[in-house]
């Protein structure tokens, strides 16, 4: 599996896009790249300059119009990777010496620019990724908030003091940056997930070499240009538009002191073997096969709306998406009828269409993989409970689908990264929890109930890093720790929360400061 097959997350409601298209008629400059309304050549960014790679010219097609290229670029190779790492290492001492408050001000400046350029970024995101403009705009706004949050964290406490048994000694903790951090991010949230990683890495004094997703190079270039325009000095942030093989070289390099990766379990395990083998720090957020448990006392409309949003929003291309609905006990006819109606009425089409709720998946290979999984489930005894209509236009569309069938179906164990959810049944809540826990994953889970005792039981016993009660399995708050359990993560500091990110992106030292004897 390629390093470019990434799974990740951000919660959003399924909404109808209400925006109009905007175009921009400008061109790339050293500082001031903007995406025009046509196929656009883009470049890597190394040591403060846009650098064309040496690979064969690559085009990324619009998922809603597969005959139209959105962006073209020449992939970076090993030579460009070496240049980026050397530049980041050379820039690290001055960036560290700048101080955390000054670095925070630069992150705040980046947040301002993200908001100023929000519509341009959203338009490019929809063209490259396929998500609706409403979803793209929400992601851009959340990304600006992320930069603001970490900018404000610059004035948090950076250490603690412990009492000493010696009367003239102070014991303090001190945080020091790792150095050069390797960042590898996915295509499904091409701005938000880089923001989660790059903003706290920079705040804590690290420099960054970022290998972004091959499917969304234009969004990556727009963010890099914003960081440059915000005043972050040359060499501090470096972007590689490159194939997955460069990701392997990046995480193997001895100057990369830490790696933060969001993606699939197989690729994450490959990275773990490399990074842990050489003693560098590692942060992994991987796949999910998330369950939503619905009890008989659940609010029917709340539960139905939540699971449909969580399963189908962003075309199901979230690692936190609901993949399994587990109904506890008998009945649930009203719930299932509501789910059927909601799914059947979803409108598919291009993300720029104001009436559309669900866009295409990111690529033809993703479309083929998801459709194959649906066919396999039916062959294994599954039935289609509900399915949305396909649009009349060309594009990489997959109909949002609700399946019912035995737990033995492959789709109940392996993650299918698209708008597909399976309904299962359990006689008791304990049986439902065991069923929810019966996969290798442990990212998120949800439970819908009016009984607090049942909710607490789920919070305690579900194998998931995030447990949502009467809320979708998708979505998280930037100030709360984010991460999973089992194969969905790596045992280490979480993402998002300022305390967790400080723990990952720094080394903690303990200083014993004792006074010299007083001179008479």
């Amino acid at each position: 599996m390629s390093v470019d097959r990434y799974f990740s997350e951000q919660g959003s409601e399924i909404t109808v896009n209400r925006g109009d298209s905007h175009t921009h008629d400008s061109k790339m400059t050293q500082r001031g790249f903007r995406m025009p309304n046509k196929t656009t050549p883009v470049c890597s960014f190394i040591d403060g300059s846009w650098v064309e790679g040496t690979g064969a010219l690559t085009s990324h097609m619009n998922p809603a119009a597969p005959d139209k290229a959105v962006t073209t670029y020449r992939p970076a190779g090993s030579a460009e990777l070496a240049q980026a790492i050397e530049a980041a290492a050379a820039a690290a001492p001055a960036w560290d010496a700048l101080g955390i408050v000054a670095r925070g001000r630069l992150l705040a400046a980046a947040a301002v620019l993200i908001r100023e350029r929000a519509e341009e970024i959203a338009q490019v995101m929809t063209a490259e990724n396929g998500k609706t403009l409403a979803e793209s705009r929400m992601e851009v706004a959340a990304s600006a908030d992320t930069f603001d949050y970490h900018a404000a964290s610059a004035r948090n406490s950076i250490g603690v003091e412990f009492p000493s048994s010696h009367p003239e000694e102070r014991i303090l903790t001190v945080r020091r940056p790792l150095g050069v951090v390797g960042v590898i991010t996915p295509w499904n949230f091409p701005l938000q997930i880089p923001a989660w990683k790059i903003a706290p890495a920079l705040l804590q004094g690290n420099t960054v070499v970022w290998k972004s997703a091959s499917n969304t190079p234009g969004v990556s270039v727009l963010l890099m240009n914003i960081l440059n325009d915000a005043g972050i000095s040359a060499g501090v942030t470096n972007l590689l538009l490159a194939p997955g093989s460069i990701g392997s070289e990046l995480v193997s390099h001895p100057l990369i002191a830490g790696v933060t990766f969001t993606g699939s379990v197989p690729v994450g395990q490959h990275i773990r073997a490399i990074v842990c083998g050489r003693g560098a720090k590692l942060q992994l957020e991987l796949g999910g096969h998330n369950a939503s448990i619905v009890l008989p006392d659940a609010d029917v409309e709340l539960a139905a709306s939540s699971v449909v949003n969580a399963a189908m929003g962003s075309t199901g291309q979230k690692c936190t998406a609901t993949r399994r609905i587990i109904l506890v006990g008998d009945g649930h006819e009203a719930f299932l009828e509501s789910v059927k109606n909601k799914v059947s009425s979803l409108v598919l089409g291009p993300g720029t269409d104001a009436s559309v709720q669900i866009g295409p998946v990111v690529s033809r290979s993703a479309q083929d993989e998801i459709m194959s999984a649906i066919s396999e489930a039916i062959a294994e005894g599954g039935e289609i409970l509900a399915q949305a209509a396909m649009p009349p236009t060309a594009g990489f569309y997959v109909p949002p689908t609700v399946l019912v069938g035995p737990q033995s179906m492959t789709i109940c164990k392996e993650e299918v990264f698209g708008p597909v959810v399976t309904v299962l049944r359990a006689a008791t809540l304990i049986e439902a929890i065991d069923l929810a826990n019966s996969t290798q994953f442990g990212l998120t889970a949800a439970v819908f109930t009016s009984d607090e005792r049942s909710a607490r039981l789920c919070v305690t016993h579900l194998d998931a890093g995030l447990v949502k009660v009467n809320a979708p399995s998708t979505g998280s708050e930037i100030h709360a720790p984010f991460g999973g359990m089992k194969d969905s993560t790596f045992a280490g500091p979480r993402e998002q929360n300022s305390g967790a990110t400080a723990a990952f992106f720094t080394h903690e030292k303990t200083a014993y400061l004792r006074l010299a004897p007083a001179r008479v």
Side-chain angles (χ1 to χ4, degrees), residues 490-501:
F490 177 76
R494 301 303 207 186
E495 289 194 299
Q496 300 190 33
N497 169 268
S498 62
T501 53

Side-chain angles (χ1 to χ4, degrees), residues 173-362:
T173 60
V174 178
R175 292 199 175 275
R176 300 293 299 132
L178 303 181
V180 183
V181 170
V183 175
I184 305 178
T185 58
W187 48 261
N188 58 334
F189 289 93
L191 190 69
Q192 179 66 68
I193 293 174
W196 286 354
K197 299 175 183 295
I198 293 172
L202 295 177
L203 180 70
Q204 298 300 330
N206 301 282
T207 55
V208 166
V209 178
W210 173 27
K211 191 274 183 212
S212 67
S214 299
N215 285 330
T216 50
V219 174
S220 304
V221 166
L222 288 173
L223 176 57
M224 188 56 54
N225 191 65
I226 282 170
L227 297 176
N228 190 38
D229 287 352
I232 294 175
S233 52
V236 173
T237 53
N238 303 272
L239 168 67
L240 296 172
L241 305 180
S245 59
I246 293 300
S248 291
E249 290 186 40
L250 171 63
V251 302
S252 302
H253 199 285
L255 286 180
I256 299 297
V259 172
T260 176
F261 167 81
T262 294
S264 70
V265 171
V267 178
Q269 291 175 338
H270 171 71
I271 290 173
R272 181 179 64 191
I274 295 172
V275 176
C276 293
R278 62 182 186 81
K281 293 190 78 172
L282 179 63
Q283 183 182 64
L284 299 177
E285 296 302 342
L286 309 175
H289 203 303
N290 315 295
S292 288
I293 297 173
V294 182
L295 278 79
D297 63 352
D299 182 285
V300 169
E301 185 59 26
L302 171 65
S305 295
S306 295
V307 298
V308 171
N309 283 326
M312 310 305 177
S314 295
T315 321
Q317 296 175 126
K318 307 176 186 178
C319 66
T320 56
T322 293
R323 308 294 181 199
R324 295 170 293 155
I325 302 169
I326 303 175
L327 305 179
V328 179
D330 297 325
H332 299 288
E333 289 81 5
F335 168 80
L336 290 174
E337 188 64 24
S338 182
V339 168
K340 288 168 60 177
N341 292 337
K342 292 178 187 303
V343 171
S344 300
S345 64
L346 290 172
V347 178
L348 280 70
T352 52
D353 187 325
S355 66
V356 162
Q357 296 164 288
I358 305 292
V361 295
V362 72

Side-chain angles (χ1 to χ4, degrees), residues 4 7 9 15 19 38 67 87 156 190 213 263 268 301 310 333 351 374 388 404 406 422 424-425 461 493 501:
D4 290 313
F7 304 151
E9 108 56 75
T15 56
K38 60 183 179 180
D67 60 333
N156 289 355
E301 185 59 26
E333 289 81 5
I374 294 173
V404 294
T422 304
L424 304 170
R425 288 186 178 270
H461 294 290
T501 53

Side-chain angles (χ1 to χ4, degrees), residues 46 77-88 209 240 246 249 253 255:
I46 300 172
S78 299
E80 289 81 16
L81 172 65
Q83 292 171 14
I85 293 174
E86 290 167 6
V209 178
L240 296 172
I246 293 300
E249 290 186 40
H253 199 285
L255 286 180

